[in-house]
Amino acid sequence: MEIRHLNRDELVHENGLDAQRLVPWPALNAPFEGSWCVIRPGTASTPHAHHEYEIFVAMKGEAVLDHDGGRTPFVAGDIVHFTPGERHSIVNESDADFEMYSIWWDRPMADVFVAKHEGGE
């Protein structure tokens, strides 16, 4: 067993939010990558779209999903799925941090996972 700890003092500001990539790491053979994300009050993540599938798991606070279909409330306990090419961002209009976990994957990540698995790693 190996635990990868969140280090809140070393979050990196990128894409309009503060984050720590928790996946990948060498001990884990996973078909996805992930990041802990904090969106500060009055800020928003950079609107973007990409070729990967992605889910956000809301962990703490409340925010608004700004997406191709409009704006949708997003609160702790909610999960959202984005398909490839769907533009999205998180807007924090509250006075407290919003925290979430983002997980994304695509076919090449799955292929690497399968190859390592079949190789006995």
Side-chain angles (χ1 to χ4, degrees), residues 78-89:
D78 290 349
I79 300 172
V80 63
H81 171 250
F82 298 104
T83 57
E86 186 175 3
R87 185 195 58 80
H88 54 278
S89 69

Side-chain angles (χ1 to χ4, degrees), residues 9-71:
D9 295 330
E10 294 186 14
L11 297 176
V12 174
H13 190 76
E14 60 185 358
N15 303 316
L17 52 82
D18 297 326
Q20 179 182 339
R21 288 241 178 152
L22 299 174
V23 176
W25 87 77
L28 177 65
N29 177 25
F32 58 85
E33 294 187 11
S35 184
W36 185 267
C37 304
V38 179
I39 298 90
R40 305 295 179 193
T43 68
S45 64
T46 304
H48 65 284
H50 40 70
H51 73 277
E52 297 98 348
Y53 293 87
E54 185 170 35
I55 62 172
F56 292 163
V57 180
M59 303 300 291
K60 179 181 175 186
E62 57 185 58
V64 175
L65 291 166
D66 187 356
H67 53 94
D68 285 340
R71 291 172 48 93

